[in-house]
Amino acid sequence: QVQLVESGGGLVQAGGSLKLSCTASGSFVTIADMRWYRQAPGMQREPIARITVDGTAIYIDSMKGRFTISRDNAKNTVYLQMNGLRPEDTAVYYCNADIGSDRSLSNYWGQGTQVTVSS
C-alpha cells in the first residue's frame, strides 16, 4: 500500500517562510510526476507546481516567484519552499504523485498539511 505523508505546515507571520515535505512510502518501483496543490477554506483545490522525475519544475503562473518545488528521488520526497508568505496563502497544502511500476502508475494524494499565515 502506498502512502504520501506531508509535513512542515504550521503558523507563520506574513512575510515568513515555510518548507513543506511529502514522502512516499510503501511498495512501488517508481515515482513519476509529483505535485503540490492547495485548498483554501470555501475554495476549490488548486494546483501550485509539478516536478518531473528528472527535476523539471513547472509552475502555475500565479504561483511563480515565491514558491519553489524540488525533489529528492533517493528519499522519495518532494518539497515546497514557500517564501514571502501572505495571509491569502492560508490553506491546506496537499501533495500528489503518480506512483507504481514502469508499466502502470496510479495517482495518490497525501492527507494535507495546514498552513496558516497571520497578518
Short mmCIF file of all heavy atoms in Angstrom, two decimals, residues 50-80:
data_model
loop_
_atom_site.label_atom_id
_atom_site.label_comp_id
_atom_site.label_asym_id
_atom_site.label_seq_id
_atom_site.Cartn_x
_atom_site.Cartn_y
_atom_site.Cartn_z
N ARG A 50 4.35 21.31 -10.45
CA ARG A 50 4.61 19.90 -10.76
C ARG A 50 6.10 19.75 -11.02
O ARG A 50 6.74 20.66 -11.56
CB ARG A 50 3.81 19.50 -11.99
CG ARG A 50 4.09 18.13 -12.55
CD ARG A 50 3.07 17.79 -13.64
NE ARG A 50 3.19 18.63 -14.83
CZ ARG A 50 3.91 18.33 -15.90
NH1 ARG A 50 4.61 17.20 -15.92
NH2 ARG A 50 3.93 19.13 -16.95
N ILE A 51 6.63 18.58 -10.65
CA ILE A 51 8.04 18.32 -10.93
C ILE A 51 8.18 16.92 -11.50
O ILE A 51 7.59 15.97 -10.97
CB ILE A 51 8.91 18.53 -9.67
CG1 ILE A 51 10.40 18.42 -10.03
CG2 ILE A 51 8.52 17.59 -8.54
CD1 ILE A 51 11.32 18.96 -8.93
N THR A 52 8.92 16.81 -12.58
CA THR A 52 9.11 15.51 -13.22
C THR A 52 10.23 14.73 -12.52
O THR A 52 10.93 15.26 -11.65
CB THR A 52 9.47 15.69 -14.70
OG1 THR A 52 10.73 16.38 -14.79
CG2 THR A 52 8.40 16.53 -15.41
N VAL A 53 10.41 13.49 -12.93
CA VAL A 53 11.39 12.64 -12.28
C VAL A 53 12.81 13.17 -12.50
O VAL A 53 13.69 12.96 -11.65
CB VAL A 53 11.26 11.18 -12.76
CG1 VAL A 53 11.63 11.06 -14.23
CG2 VAL A 53 12.06 10.23 -11.89
N ASP A 54 13.03 13.87 -13.60
CA ASP A 54 14.36 14.42 -13.84
C ASP A 54 14.54 15.80 -13.25
O ASP A 54 15.57 16.45 -13.49
CB ASP A 54 14.69 14.44 -15.33
CG ASP A 54 13.77 15.37 -16.12
OD1 ASP A 54 12.86 15.97 -15.51
OD2 ASP A 54 13.98 15.50 -17.34
N GLY A 55 13.55 16.29 -12.50
CA GLY A 55 13.69 17.54 -11.78
C GLY A 55 13.19 18.77 -12.51
O GLY A 55 13.39 19.89 -12.03
N THR A 56 12.54 18.60 -13.63
CA THR A 56 11.98 19.74 -14.34
C THR A 56 10.74 20.23 -13.58
O THR A 56 9.81 19.47 -13.34
CB THR A 56 11.59 19.37 -15.77
OG1 THR A 56 12.76 18.92 -16.47
CG2 THR A 56 11.00 20.56 -16.50
N ALA A 57 10.75 21.51 -13.23
CA ALA A 57 9.66 22.10 -12.45
C ALA A 57 8.77 22.95 -13.35
O ALA A 57 9.27 23.74 -14.15
CB ALA A 57 10.21 22.93 -11.31
N ILE A 58 7.49 22.79 -13.18
CA ILE A 58 6.50 23.58 -13.93
C ILE A 58 5.56 24.20 -12.92
O ILE A 58 5.01 23.51 -12.06
CB ILE A 58 5.69 22.70 -14.91
CG1 ILE A 58 6.64 22.01 -15.88
CG2 ILE A 58 4.66 23.53 -15.66
CD1 ILE A 58 6.95 20.58 -15.52
N TYR A 59 5.38 25.52 -13.02
CA TYR A 59 4.58 26.26 -12.05
C TYR A 59 3.32 26.82 -12.71
O TYR A 59 3.36 27.24 -13.87
CB TYR A 59 5.37 27.42 -11.45
CG TYR A 59 6.57 26.97 -10.66
CD1 TYR A 59 7.82 26.82 -11.27
CD2 TYR A 59 6.47 26.71 -9.30
CE1 TYR A 59 8.92 26.41 -10.55
CE2 TYR A 59 7.57 26.29 -8.57
CZ TYR A 59 8.79 26.14 -9.21
OH TYR A 59 9.87 25.73 -8.48
N ILE A 60 2.25 26.88 -11.95
CA ILE A 60 1.10 27.66 -12.34
C ILE A 60 1.55 29.12 -12.31
O ILE A 60 2.27 29.55 -11.41
CB ILE A 60 -0.07 27.43 -11.38
CG1 ILE A 60 -0.44 25.95 -11.36
CG2 ILE A 60 -1.26 28.29 -11.77
CD1 ILE A 60 -0.83 25.39 -12.68
N ASP A 61 1.14 29.89 -13.32
CA ASP A 61 1.65 31.25 -13.46
C ASP A 61 1.50 32.08 -12.19
O ASP A 61 2.42 32.81 -11.80
CB ASP A 61 0.95 31.97 -14.62
CG ASP A 61 1.45 31.49 -15.97
OD1 ASP A 61 2.51 30.84 -16.02
OD2 ASP A 61 0.79 31.78 -16.99
N SER A 62 0.36 31.97 -11.54
CA SER A 62 0.10 32.80 -10.36
C SER A 62 0.97 32.40 -9.17
O SER A 62 1.06 33.13 -8.19
CB SER A 62 -1.36 32.72 -9.98
OG SER A 62 -1.73 31.39 -9.68
N MET A 63 1.61 31.24 -9.25
CA MET A 63 2.43 30.74 -8.14
C MET A 63 3.93 30.97 -8.37
O MET A 63 4.74 30.64 -7.50
CB MET A 63 2.18 29.24 -7.94
CG MET A 63 0.74 28.88 -7.71
SD MET A 63 0.12 29.56 -6.16
CE MET A 63 -1.54 28.91 -6.18
N LYS A 64 4.28 31.49 -9.52
CA LYS A 64 5.70 31.67 -9.81
C LYS A 64 6.29 32.76 -8.93
O LYS A 64 5.64 33.74 -8.62
CB LYS A 64 5.88 32.05 -11.28
CG LYS A 64 5.63 30.92 -12.25
CD LYS A 64 5.84 31.39 -13.67
CE LYS A 64 5.59 30.26 -14.67
NZ LYS A 64 5.73 30.71 -16.06
N GLY A 65 7.55 32.56 -8.56
CA GLY A 65 8.28 33.60 -7.87
C GLY A 65 8.47 33.37 -6.39
O GLY A 65 9.57 33.55 -5.88
N ARG A 66 7.43 32.97 -5.68
CA ARG A 66 7.56 32.81 -4.23
C ARG A 66 7.66 31.35 -3.81
O ARG A 66 8.12 31.06 -2.71
CB ARG A 66 6.36 33.46 -3.53
CG ARG A 66 6.25 34.95 -3.75
CD ARG A 66 5.13 35.55 -2.90
NE ARG A 66 3.83 35.02 -3.32
CZ ARG A 66 3.01 34.35 -2.51
NH1 ARG A 66 3.37 34.10 -1.25
NH2 ARG A 66 1.83 33.93 -2.94
N PHE A 67 7.22 30.45 -4.68
CA PHE A 67 7.20 29.02 -4.36
C PHE A 67 8.23 28.28 -5.22
O PHE A 67 8.37 28.56 -6.41
CB PHE A 67 5.82 28.42 -4.63
CG PHE A 67 4.72 28.94 -3.73
CD1 PHE A 67 3.41 28.58 -3.97
CD2 PHE A 67 4.99 29.78 -2.67
CE1 PHE A 67 2.39 29.03 -3.15
CE2 PHE A 67 3.98 30.25 -1.84
CZ PHE A 67 2.67 29.87 -2.09
N THR A 68 8.92 27.33 -4.61
CA THR A 68 9.89 26.51 -5.33
C THR A 68 9.66 25.04 -5.00
O THR A 68 9.68 24.66 -3.82
CB THR A 68 11.33 26.88 -4.96
OG1 THR A 68 11.55 28.27 -5.23
CG2 THR A 68 12.32 26.06 -5.76
N ILE A 69 9.42 24.25 -6.03
CA ILE A 69 9.25 22.81 -5.86
C ILE A 69 10.57 22.12 -6.17
O ILE A 69 11.32 22.52 -7.07
CB ILE A 69 8.11 22.27 -6.77
CG1 ILE A 69 7.76 20.84 -6.42
CG2 ILE A 69 8.46 22.42 -8.24
CD1 ILE A 69 6.50 20.32 -7.13
N SER A 70 10.87 21.08 -5.40
CA SER A 70 12.07 20.29 -5.63
C SER A 70 11.79 18.87 -5.16
O SER A 70 10.77 18.61 -4.53
CB SER A 70 13.27 20.88 -4.90
OG SER A 70 13.04 20.90 -3.49
N ARG A 71 12.70 17.96 -5.48
CA ARG A 71 12.50 16.57 -5.05
C ARG A 71 13.85 15.90 -4.82
O ARG A 71 14.86 16.30 -5.39
CB ARG A 71 11.67 15.78 -6.06
CG ARG A 71 12.31 15.56 -7.39
CD ARG A 71 11.32 14.97 -8.40
NE ARG A 71 11.04 13.56 -8.18
CZ ARG A 71 10.09 12.88 -8.85
NH1 ARG A 71 9.34 13.49 -9.74
NH2 ARG A 71 9.90 11.59 -8.62
N ASP A 72 13.81 14.89 -3.96
CA ASP A 72 14.96 14.04 -3.70
C ASP A 72 14.52 12.62 -4.00
O ASP A 72 13.79 12.01 -3.21
CB ASP A 72 15.40 14.19 -2.24
CG ASP A 72 16.67 13.41 -1.94
OD1 ASP A 72 16.94 12.40 -2.61
OD2 ASP A 72 17.39 13.79 -1.00
N ASN A 73 14.92 12.11 -5.15
CA ASN A 73 14.45 10.79 -5.57
C ASN A 73 14.95 9.68 -4.65
O ASN A 73 14.26 8.68 -4.45
CB ASN A 73 14.87 10.52 -7.01
CG ASN A 73 14.14 11.40 -8.00
OD1 ASN A 73 13.02 11.85 -7.76
ND2 ASN A 73 14.78 11.68 -9.13
N ALA A 74 16.12 9.86 -4.08
CA ALA A 74 16.65 8.85 -3.17
C ALA A 74 15.82 8.73 -1.90
O ALA A 74 15.79 7.68 -1.26
CB ALA A 74 18.10 9.16 -2.82
N LYS A 75 15.16 9.82 -1.55
CA LYS A 75 14.34 9.84 -0.33
C LYS A 75 12.85 9.75 -0.64
O LYS A 75 12.03 9.84 0.27
CB LYS A 75 14.62 11.11 0.48
CG LYS A 75 16.04 11.20 1.00
CD LYS A 75 16.23 12.46 1.83
CE LYS A 75 17.65 12.52 2.39
NZ LYS A 75 17.88 13.75 3.18
N ASN A 76 12.50 9.61 -1.92
CA ASN A 76 11.08 9.55 -2.33
C ASN A 76 10.30 10.75 -1.79
O ASN A 76 9.15 10.61 -1.35
CB ASN A 76 10.43 8.25 -1.86
CG ASN A 76 11.05 7.02 -2.50
OD1 ASN A 76 11.45 7.05 -3.66
ND2 ASN A 76 11.15 5.95 -1.72
N THR A 77 10.91 11.90 -1.84
CA THR A 77 10.35 13.09 -1.19
C THR A 77 10.29 14.26 -2.16
O THR A 77 11.22 14.49 -2.93
CB THR A 77 11.18 13.46 0.04
OG1 THR A 77 11.14 12.36 0.97
CG2 THR A 77 10.64 14.70 0.71
N VAL A 78 9.19 14.99 -2.07
CA VAL A 78 9.03 16.25 -2.79
C VAL A 78 8.91 17.37 -1.76
O VAL A 78 8.35 17.16 -0.68
CB VAL A 78 7.81 16.22 -3.74
CG1 VAL A 78 6.50 16.01 -2.97
CG2 VAL A 78 7.75 17.47 -4.60
N TYR A 79 9.45 18.52 -2.10
CA TYR A 79 9.44 19.67 -1.20
C TYR A 79 8.74 20.86 -1.86
O TYR A 79 8.68 20.97 -3.08
CB TYR A 79 10.88 20.08 -0.87
CG TYR A 79 11.73 18.98 -0.29
CD1 TYR A 79 12.58 18.24 -1.10
CD2 TYR A 79 11.67 18.67 1.06
CE1 TYR A 79 13.36 17.23 -0.58
CE2 TYR A 79 12.46 17.66 1.60
CZ TYR A 79 13.28 16.94 0.77
OH TYR A 79 14.05 15.92 1.29
N LEU A 80 8.26 21.75 -1.01
CA LEU A 80 7.74 23.03 -1.48
C LEU A 80 8.28 24.11 -0.55
O LEU A 80 7.86 24.20 0.60
CB LEU A 80 6.22 23.05 -1.50
CG LEU A 80 5.62 24.31 -2.11
CD1 LEU A 80 5.91 24.39 -3.62
CD2 LEU A 80 4.11 24.38 -1.87
#
